[in-house]
Amino acid sequence: MNRILAPLLMCIALLGGTAVHAQEITFKASADRTEIATGDALKLTVSLVNAPMGSAIGNPAFGGLVVVQGPFDSNSFSNINGRMGSSVTRTWYLTAMQPGDYTIGSAMARVGGGMIQTEPIKVHVTKGQTTGPNSAQLEQAQKADPNLFCTISLSKSKVYVGEQILSTYTLYSRYNSLQPGDYDLPKLDGFWAEEIELGETSWEKVPQTVNGIRYNVAVLKKQVLIPQHGGKLRIEPMTLNYRVNPSFFSSGTPVRIKSNAAEVTVMDLPENKPADYIGAVGDLHLEVKTAATTVKANEAIDLTVRFSGRANLRLIDAPKLAFPSDFESYDPKMTDKITVNGGGMSGSREFQYLVIPRHEGDYDIGTLTYSYFDPASGQYKQLRSEPLTFHIQKGDPNASATISRPSRTDVQELGKDIRFIRTGDLALEPSGHHLFGSWPYVLGLLAPVGAFIAFFSWRRRRARLLADTHGLRRRGADKVARQRLKAAEEALTKNDRTAFYDALGKALEGYFADKFDLGVAEVNAAMVTAKLGHLDDGAVARAYNALLSDAEMARFAPFENRPRQASYDEAAALIRRIEDQLRA
């Protein structure tokens, strides 16, 4: 009787324990807070507790919230007084770019043969504090694509005609790698543009945060723009093409982005322009100097007028100087020392005049005055030189001035367009020489026959290779593996865990089977060690077996020993490593 009751009681206890265990399965979603401001982040956690092996968690719909970080998976096991317990947790950090009410949808989990789900979570988002001079442009661009966008920002939104504006083209990216393609530069109607040399484009060392999302930032282009007329001027959008996350096995996903348009209000200069206005706008200084004020008649005088400061220097023309009729003058030589950088256009423009007095006497040129417009004060300002007085002494009898007439640019030798007629041996064909019967003629006749023989040999060799199905399979193993890894990469981008490990496992098993002409069922740890054990003292075989084991476990159990991106990168690197060493 005891022999009958003991097994019966044990079965009842096991069934009861199983029932209790089944009742303890829980699946819930929680957020650390349900009210945030734009740019702040909330923590969303989905937990599956005491589920049987093979259960899998699906991601919820975020309802318009943006993923800042995640997902992060964690697993835990416990054994308390012989009672086993387990939990699988998945975590995200989410934010919102616009205020409003959002709903995080239900997460689904497959447990046994059925599905269970969590309760939705409602989140209220209020308007947060925005910082930075271009926050409006950033928010507008971020709405179009929160992962990759470009902005055009201006240093000022309201300027005078001729006043400098700094235009900056900035790229924001959340991707690991980008491959730039072609681009369309914006139209600049109504502007004088000066490019700022930035060198090679590079990412800034410190990422920037926009509405709670961190971005890698690169300045693509900077320009100094000078409006030429009044009104509302518009800088059209810039269009760029990129390939996102290119890799060894993939050329990347093409992405086309378009920046915002930028507008600036340009005010006309006041109407009361002075007669000596030279067209300069900014902060300007004047320096007038001469080598000597006392010379003899018919001796040359160098007079230099130099404008310097931060202004539209390239738009300043040579000023007209009112010399006495007894002075012979020449067109000035212009010398620029202008720098264009993030502070705008600055430096100096210098005009060097050469004048020759022809008669003796005292000549008072007076004070040179030039006016410019100062946008800081909104007024015209006048520059004045010291009075210029020249004392001309009597020149030597019959003396004439030796001058060197300056030009606007230095003369450069561009080349010699007249050459001598060649004489001597011109390598002409001798009289009586003909192509017919010569070696070139014979080779020309034989060339088609040789080409036909080469084509026939190539065709026979190709037929032999196609007939060798085992050899074709071995040679094409890496190509097939790349195609399967591409499917794994697509699943990784979509965060599809099941599809990722399925594609990764097939790529590893299929590559090894194709490379060594085996059946998929023959791929196991012992076979891998036997075929790859001679590479790097067995390190390649051990790594391949470990990766196969991890992929196999992740395909049929909710456990991951390493991040998916790391598994993908190691699989691609291992296949390349095996190919390189087997070819060597």
Side-chain angles (χ1 to χ4, degrees):
M1 189 67 177
N2 291 335
R3 289 196 300 268
I4 297 174
L5 288 176
L8 181 60
L9 292 174
M10 184 177 294
C11 292
I12 293 173
L14 290 174
L15 291 174
T18 304
V20 172
H21 182 76
Q23 291 174 359
E24 293 179 352
I25 295 177
T26 60
F27 183 45
K28 65 179 182 179
S30 62
D32 63 342
R33 46 186 172 158
T34 57
E35 184 171 341
I36 61 173
T38 54
D40 294 340
L42 65 84
K43 180 180 179 182
L44 173 66
T45 303
V46 177
S47 299
L48 179 61
V49 179
N50 292 333
M53 296 288 290
S55 302
I57 297 177
N59 296 335
F62 300 120
L65 297 176
V66 178
V67 177
V68 179
Q69 291 180 318
F72 303 108
D73 291 342
S74 63
N75 304 284
S76 63
F77 301 90
S78 63
N79 187 349
I80 301 176
N81 296 327
R83 186 172 182 178
M84 303 293 292
S86 66
S87 67
V88 180
T89 303
R90 185 167 293 173
T91 305
W92 296 265
Y93 290 88
L94 309 176
T95 189
M97 295 183 293
Q98 294 296 323
D101 292 317
Y102 298 81
T103 300
I104 301 173
S106 300
M108 308 292 291
R110 182 182 300 277
V111 178
M115 300 290 292
I116 56 177
Q117 64 182 25
T118 63
E119 293 293 329
I121 299 175
K122 295 185 179 296
V123 179
H124 179 66
V125 180
T126 60
K127 186 172 180 59
Q129 297 292 328
T130 56
T131 58
N134 301 314
S135 57
Q137 290 93 334
L138 286 174
E139 290 184 2
Q140 179 184 358
Q142 192 182 42
K143 287 180 187 176
D145 186 345
N147 295 318
L148 181 68
F149 58 89
C150 177
T151 62
I152 300 177
S153 59
L154 302 179
S155 59
K156 297 181 180 179
S157 60
K158 193 174 183 179
V159 295
Y160 287 97
V161 173
E163 185 179 356
Q164 302 182 58
I165 314 167
L166 180 63
S167 175
T168 305
Y169 304 80
T170 310
L171 181 68
Y172 296 79
S173 172
R174 296 181 65 199
Y175 293 107
N176 294 328
S177 61
L178 287 176
Q179 180 179 330
D182 58 346
Y183 56 88
D184 296 327
L185 292 175
K187 296 181 180 179
L188 298 174
D189 294 334
F191 292 97
W192 173 290
E194 291 282 344
E195 298 291 331
I196 297 177
E197 182 62 39
L198 298 179
E200 186 177 352
T201 302
S202 60
W203 298 103
E204 295 182 0
K205 294 182 178 179
V206 180
Q208 293 187 18
T209 302
V210 181
N211 290 328
I213 303 177
R214 290 169 62 84
Y215 291 93
N216 295 320
V217 179
V219 176
L220 303 178
K221 184 184 183 70
K222 280 189 177 183
Q223 292 176 310
V224 172
L225 305 180
I226 302 175
Q228 299 297 290
H229 59 79
K232 189 173 287 294
L233 300 185
R234 175 183 171 89
I235 301 175
E236 297 298 331
M238 182 179 186
T239 304
L240 306 100
N241 291 298
Y242 284 94
R243 286 195 170 272
V244 172
N245 292 336
S247 65
F248 177 78
F249 298 103
S250 172
S251 59
T253 304
V255 175
R256 183 177 179 87
I257 61 174
K258 189 176 184 180
S259 72
N260 61 294
E263 290 187 347
V264 59
T265 301
V266 183
M267 301 175 289
D268 290 317
L269 298 180
E271 296 182 355
N272 56 334
K273 289 183 181 179
D276 57 357
Y277 177 64
I278 57 174
V281 177
D283 182 18
L284 206 62
H285 305 279
L286 172 67
E287 182 182 2
V288 178
K289 60 182 180 180
T290 181
T293 57
T294 301
V295 296
K296 294 182 179 180
N298 295 322
E299 288 185 352
I301 299 175
D302 284 328
L303 177 65
T304 301
V305 178
R306 184 174 181 267
F307 299 100
S308 62
R310 184 180 179 275
N312 53 347
L313 296 170
R314 294 196 194 278
L315 302 183
I316 299 178
D317 293 328
K320 302 292 184 182
L321 301 185
F323 291 107
S325 57
D326 288 341
F327 281 51
E328 184 178 351
S329 62
Y330 299 90
D331 291 337
K333 177 182 179 180
M334 183 176 68
T335 303
D336 283 342
K337 295 181 180 179
I338 299 174
T339 302
V340 181
N341 53 32
M345 183 187 298
S346 60
S348 67
R349 170 164 279 191
E350 184 178 278
F351 300 94
Q352 183 180 1
Y353 295 83
L354 181 67
V355 294
I356 301 175
R358 295 304 184 184
H359 300 93
E360 59 184 291
D362 292 325
Y363 297 89
D364 185 6
I365 306 298
T367 300
L368 301 181
T369 62
Y370 305 103
S371 294
Y372 70 97
F373 183 76
D374 179 17
S377 62
Q379 297 178 349
Y380 293 99
K381 293 187 176 180
Q382 189 178 67
L383 302 170
R384 301 176 64 87
S385 72
E386 296 293 330
L388 289 175
T389 301
F390 293 98
H391 176 65
I392 310 303
Q393 300 174 347
K394 184 176 181 179
D396 296 332
N398 302 321
S400 60
T402 302
I403 61 172
S404 174
R405 302 192 179 207
S407 60
R408 291 182 179 268
T409 57
D410 295 333
V411 178
Q412 297 179 355
E413 183 179 357
L414 301 180
K416 298 178 181 179
D417 56 357
I418 300 177
R419 299 181 182 275
F420 290 104
I421 298 174
R422 180 177 174 180
T423 59
D425 182 15
L426 300 181
L428 299 177
E429 292 290 342
S431 178
H433 184 272
H434 300 285
L435 177 63
F436 182 78
S438 63
W439 278 109
Y441 179 79
V442 174
L443 292 176
L445 291 178
L446 296 177
V449 179
F452 176 77
I453 294 173
F455 174 76
F456 182 75
S457 301
W458 170 83
R459 189 176 179 85
R460 290 190 59 184
R461 181 176 178 275
R462 183 170 179 271
R464 287 197 305 271
L465 291 176
L466 292 176
D468 183 11
T469 56
H470 298 289
L472 283 175
R473 185 187 180 194
R474 288 192 297 269
R475 287 190 296 272
D478 60 330
K479 182 178 180 181
V480 175
R482 283 198 300 269
Q483 294 173 353
R484 289 168 176 164
L485 281 177
K486 186 175 181 181
E489 184 182 30
E490 292 174 356
L492 182 63
T493 304
K494 297 176 182 177
N495 200 22
D496 190 339
R497 179 181 182 278
T498 303
F500 171 76
Y501 283 110
D502 186 62
L504 184 66
K506 289 181 179 179
L508 292 171
E509 293 174 349
Y511 170 75
F512 189 83
D514 291 343
K515 193 66 181 177
F516 297 101
D517 196 20
L518 302 171
V520 176
E522 297 179 82
V523 179
N524 51 50
M527 184 62 71
V528 171
T529 303
K531 297 293 186 181
L532 302 178
H534 64 287
L535 301 180
D536 292 345
D537 295 329
V540 174
R542 289 191 295 273
Y544 207 90
N545 280 327
L547 195 57
L548 269 173
S549 177
D550 291 346
E552 189 70 16
M553 177 178 292
R555 287 169 70 183
F556 302 105
F559 312 120
E560 294 177 290
N561 290 336
R562 70 186 84 188
R564 296 173 205 165
Q565 184 66 50
S567 297
Y568 172 82
D569 294 339
E570 185 173 354
L574 267 177
I575 292 175
R576 285 199 303 269
R577 187 175 173 185
I578 293 170
E579 285 293 315
D580 293 341
Q581 295 194 24
L582 290 181
R583 288 196 190 105

